Amino acid sequence: MRIGKSILYSALLASAALGVAHAQDGEKQYRFVMVSHIGSNDPNMNWLTTSLKEFEAKYPDVKTEYISTNNYSVQEHVRLLEQAIATQPDGIAVPIVSSDAFEGPLRKAIDAGIPVVAFNIPDGRPDGERIPYLTYVGGDEFLTGKKLGEYALTKVEAGEIPKPTHVVCASHDSAHQGLKARCAGMKEVMEKAGAKFDELFIGAEPATARNTLQSFLQANPDTNYIFTVAGWSSPWAWGVANEMKLDPDVDDKGVTVLTVDEGPVSIEGVRAGHILATNSQGFWLQGYAPMEWLYWNKKFGYAPQQSILTGPLVINKDNADQWAEQVRGVFGDKAYDEQNTW
Amino acid sequence: MKYLVRSQGFGATIGVIAMLAVFTVIDFSGWWTVQTLSNVTQFTAILALVALGQALVIMTKEIDLSVGSIYGLTGVAFITLEPSLGVPGSLVVALLIAAAAGFIQGTAVVKGELPSMIVTLGGLFAARGIIYVWTGGSVHNFSPDARTHALTRLLGGELFGISAAIYWVAIISVLLAIMLWGTRFGNRLLATGGSRESAESRGVRTDRVKTAAFVLCSLLAGFAGILTLCNQPQTHVTLGENMELEAISAAVIGGCLLTGGRGSILGVVLGALIVVSFRYELIALGAPSSWYITFVGAVLIVAVIFNQKLARFVGHSV
């Protein structure tokens, strides 16, 4: 009898709690989930989570969720994706890290009427073959290299930096297609300008990378441009060139260094005059815009007819201060200063 | 001459002579420059320190796959703790972290009677994971005051135009050689690797010897990480990634046998020189930088065959 009463009270309490929760979520019409490859061990996560908060503030009838893992693997990412789909959200934003691995669960979700937006990494296959997501929101790695190369050539025209004779693209991952595309974009521009071009795999280990780059620069003394395809490796490249007395600061002689990303290292490198330019692929937009398109699709049936490129945008000495302020706002002053390794 | 041939570093000595002869013939003007030799010797010193620790463990018939991650973890700890502890304090604590990692792994191997390959593979992942969680994916900067601190300059500066790392590896190599060939502990270490049962029958506490070898190995790897960062305090969470493979290669090329009981301090340093020189020169000659690992693999196989034959020639059973 006592047990029966307990069960009854528990049921009543649970019903009351559910009722309260339902009342609180009453104004939330939609729930969109971002299943990300960027975990809390990557400072870039702040761009995405900040933009989701701002999206929720603007669209009070939407609840957003950010799901990721610090122990990244494609399998783990697929598991998170399948879990998210099982909760039947109103929309999903996901980077297509592996077309093969994501194809099954995403096609099932799309068939079940859940709209999907790819962000940061598209499905690289042709239109008829790729996962039929609503759209892709993110950067274009080839354009990243190309735009930075074109920017450098405008500075050559202005007489501010030397004409490129030999460009080396220093990459930390020889199998990463995105990094290869960055190098390819730079290569297209620089070879047209008459410069020799080399892609050099330096690895991700700092000492090995410096050793490799030193060897290359020693053997190729005509190299006067270094393009690092990660922001964090730009101080290594600058340091090696500086040790070799190749005058790597931004001026009309010696070596010129270019890099990527809107992180503190890249931006402070530009501000200090060590780096000619870096780029933003619009990380904040890559959080906000997918949510907006999911919302417009659910509410009005809108569907964009092509990919939405959020970058690249060149960050140079003219706009670096403004970017520094913006990035400080996302990362916080303490983290920003700690991450400036110059 | 007979003594030279009998020494465990003979293969590495031959290897270095052959390598220098080839480099002289194909790239005399590129190889024999102050800049090249300075770069090669500096990176050799760092790798040699890690490889020397690895060699001590290999001599006890074990292996340590975690040295790359310990090198990274110690370096990251040194930089991350500096704002609160200062350079001397963070140096001591970082080395204590390295020693603790070595002690835990060594104890797991000897007390748990677990294969060192599995234990230290776990150590490799665990230490790398700690780096990621601790740093949040980005390593802190090293303050201007810390960069100019006397201790930082002592560990990462230059003297007479020669990198501090080279002096340190020379000092540590001499100390290790004295320890190995001139002390009771060195004798017990070699005996433990040569024949554990025989060593134990003579009263050698092989469990303690192995644990000490793991602690020394981690300490040397950690110290190498600190030397690297004192010289160039711009780093990343990837610090030390894949270094364990180069360290094992250098130790084996240098005359250490995976069957234990044999090794040479000079041979290990020369082994590190071979690994670094190959990487440097192949890139200088225009080969894709990822090819060098293929050459290291080939040299490694040749070195194992040569060292085994040499060991048999001088009467060791391998």
Side-chain angles (χ1 to χ4, degrees):
Chain A
M1 185 65 198
R2 200 176 284 176
I3 292 171
K5 267 188 181 175
S6 298
I7 291 169
L8 184 66
Y9 287 143
S10 302
L12 283 169
L13 277 170
S15 305
L18 280 171
V20 170
H22 187 70
Q24 282 175 342
D25 275 352
E27 68 220 37
K28 301 284 186 190
Q29 254 187 294
Y30 303 110
R31 185 171 65 89
F32 299 144
V33 183
M34 179 168 266
V35 189
S36 178
H37 57 320
I38 298 170
S40 61
N41 58 348
D42 184 336
N44 280 320
M45 189 182 94
N46 295 333
W47 288 107
L48 301 169
T49 52
T50 303
S51 65
L52 292 193
K53 272 187 204 137
E54 290 188 33
F55 175 84
E56 276 192 344
K58 192 175 173 187
Y59 296 87
D61 54 340
V62 180
K63 184 178 188 304
T64 63
E65 287 172 19
Y66 186 90
I67 304 171
S68 67
T69 173
N70 283 347
N71 302 317
Y72 187 81
S73 71
V74 173
Q75 292 85 345
E76 179 67 6
H77 199 166
V78 170
R79 193 186 62 77
L80 287 177
L81 181 62
E82 284 173 336
Q83 275 182 354
I85 292 167
T87 66
Q88 297 183 312
D90 296 297
I92 293 171
V94 62
I96 313 299
V97 175
S98 163
S99 308
D100 293 339
F102 286 35
E103 177 124 31
L106 284 179
R107 277 190 189 272
K108 242 186 256 176
I110 293 162
D111 290 344
I114 301 171
V116 172
V117 171
F119 81 96
N120 194 256
I121 304 170
D123 183 342
R125 296 172 298 183
D127 260 2
E129 293 171 36
R130 73 162 176 80
I131 299 162
Y133 46 65
L134 196 60
T135 189
Y136 164 68
V137 178
D140 180 312
E141 303 300 6
F142 181 84
L143 277 181
T144 294
K146 190 176 175 181
K147 291 288 177 192
L148 283 164
E150 286 170 351
Y151 173 76
L153 292 184
T154 63
K155 294 292 149 188
V156 172
E157 293 272 310
E160 292 177 33
I161 56 171
K163 188 175 187 298
T165 51
H166 191 167
V167 181
V168 62
C169 183
S171 172
H172 56 276
D173 186 342
S174 59
H176 192 307
Q177 292 310 307
L179 304 183
K180 281 182 155 337
R182 287 175 181 180
C183 288
M186 179 65 75
K187 182 181 181 178
E188 184 182 271
V189 174
M190 291 299 172
E191 284 190 337
K192 267 187 197 162
K196 268 171 72 183
F197 188 92
D198 272 299
E199 190 175 335
L200 180 70
F201 169 57
I202 58 170
E205 204 287 309
T208 307
R210 284 203 303 268
N211 184 217
T212 304
L213 198 51
Q214 271 178 352
S215 173
F216 182 89
L217 294 176
Q218 181 76 16
N220 297 276
D222 58 339
T223 306
N224 66 342
Y225 275 54
I226 305 171
F227 176 39
T228 68
V229 292
W232 40 262
S233 59
S234 61
W236 311 346
W238 183 90
V240 166
N242 195 47
E243 266 183 13
M244 294 174 77
K245 300 188 171 45
L246 298 175
D247 186 14
D249 276 340
V250 179
D251 53 28
D252 60 353
K253 57 193 182 297
V255 163
T256 300
V257 183
L258 292 121
T259 192
V260 294
D261 291 344
E262 61 251 60
V265 174
S266 304
I267 291 169
E268 289 307 310
V270 172
R271 292 177 80 199
H274 299 321
I275 304 285
L276 174 68
T278 182
N279 83 297
S280 163
Q281 57 167 306
F283 250 123
W284 186 90
L285 277 174
Q286 289 180 27
Y288 194 91
M291 296 295 135
E292 236 173 14
W293 276 106
L294 288 170
Y295 181 76
W296 292 330
N297 179 263
K298 289 301 285 188
K299 199 148 177 130
F300 311 112
Y302 289 161
Q305 294 307 298
Q306 57 184 13
S307 296
I308 296 154
L309 296 186
T310 55
L313 182 144
V314 173
I315 299 172
N316 56 28
K317 64 180 190 325
D318 301 326
N319 60 2
D321 288 350
Q322 171 202 325
W323 270 96
E325 200 177 317
Q326 192 180 332
V327 176
R328 277 182 186 278
V330 171
F331 284 48
D333 283 341
K334 187 172 177 286
Y336 185 96
D337 291 333
E338 279 175 348
Q339 286 176 44
N340 172 19
T341 56
W342 289 101
Chain B
M1 185 64 194
K2 194 177 176 186
Y3 170 77
L4 180 68
V5 172
R6 288 178 70 91
S7 78
Q8 288 95 322
F10 180 64
T13 309
I14 295 290
V16 167
I17 292 166
M19 179 187 80
L20 293 178
V22 171
F23 288 176
T24 302
V25 170
I26 61 176
D27 187 25
F28 182 85
S29 58
W31 177 257
W32 294 106
T33 66
V34 172
Q35 183 84 56
T36 298
L37 296 178
S38 152
N39 291 337
V40 167
T41 49
Q42 190 197 337
F43 287 105
T44 296
I46 297 295
L47 179 60
L49 278 173
V50 183
L52 284 167
Q54 186 69 250
L56 295 177
V57 170
I58 291 174
M59 284 176 208
T60 67
K61 210 174 175 177
E62 301 290 353
I63 199 148
D64 189 343
L65 297 179
S66 71
V67 286
S69 294
I70 300 299
Y71 168 97
L73 178 61
T74 312
V76 166
F78 175 61
I79 276 195
T80 308
L81 297 171
E82 184 277 325
S84 49
L85 301 176
V87 174
S90 65
L91 173 73
V92 170
V93 173
L95 288 174
L96 283 173
I97 288 170
F103 181 76
I104 291 165
Q105 292 184 120
T107 305
V109 169
V110 298
K111 299 289 182 199
E113 295 184 346
L114 299 167
S116 55
M117 186 178 277
I118 302 302
V119 170
T120 57
L121 184 63
L124 179 155
F125 290 128
R128 188 62 56 188
I130 290 167
I131 292 172
Y132 276 98
V133 172
W134 190 6
T135 61
S138 56
V139 175
H140 295 180
N141 58 11
F142 206 45
S143 68
D145 286 349
R147 291 181 196 210
T148 53
H149 192 280
L151 192 53
T152 308
R153 301 318 313 142
L154 181 70
L155 297 170
E158 284 187 355
L159 185 63
F160 309 121
I162 296 170
S163 165
I166 295 164
Y167 293 107
W168 282 107
V169 81
I171 292 164
I172 288 168
S173 297
V174 169
L175 291 174
L176 287 176
I178 291 168
M179 181 203 80
L180 206 57
W181 309 115
T183 69
R184 197 180 289 176
F185 175 76
N187 187 271
R188 288 172 176 177
L189 188 133
L190 290 165
T192 298
S195 170
R196 187 177 168 180
E197 294 75 14
S198 169
E200 284 178 345
S201 70
R202 295 178 185 202
V204 175
R205 294 289 306 272
T206 58
D207 52 348
R208 287 186 185 179
V209 170
K210 284 190 178 191
T211 306
F214 275 102
V215 171
L216 278 172
C217 178
S218 289
L219 269 172
L220 285 167
F223 187 61
I226 289 168
L227 287 187
T228 303
L229 292 179
C230 284
N231 176 250
Q232 283 284 342
Q234 294 154 333
T235 188
H236 192 247
V237 289
T238 48
L239 182 68
E241 248 178 25
N242 296 330
M243 206 172 196
E244 56 281 343
L245 303 177
E246 290 186 353
I248 293 167
S249 303
V252 171
I253 291 167
C256 292
L257 292 180
L258 293 175
T259 47
R262 271 176 68 87
S264 155
I265 299 299
L266 175 65
V268 172
V269 175
L270 295 179
L273 176 64
I274 289 171
V275 170
V276 173
S277 301
F278 260 100
R279 179 171 63 218
Y280 200 93
E281 190 59 14
L282 281 171
I283 293 160
L285 293 171
S289 48
S290 38
W291 273 24
Y292 109 92
I293 207 72
T294 310
F295 279 80
V296 169
V299 170
L300 189 61
I301 292 163
V302 170
V304 168
I305 295 166
F306 184 88
N307 288 332
Q308 281 200 342
K309 284 193 181 301
L310 186 69
R312 288 193 186 111
F313 174 74
V314 297
H316 282 261
S317 56
V318 288

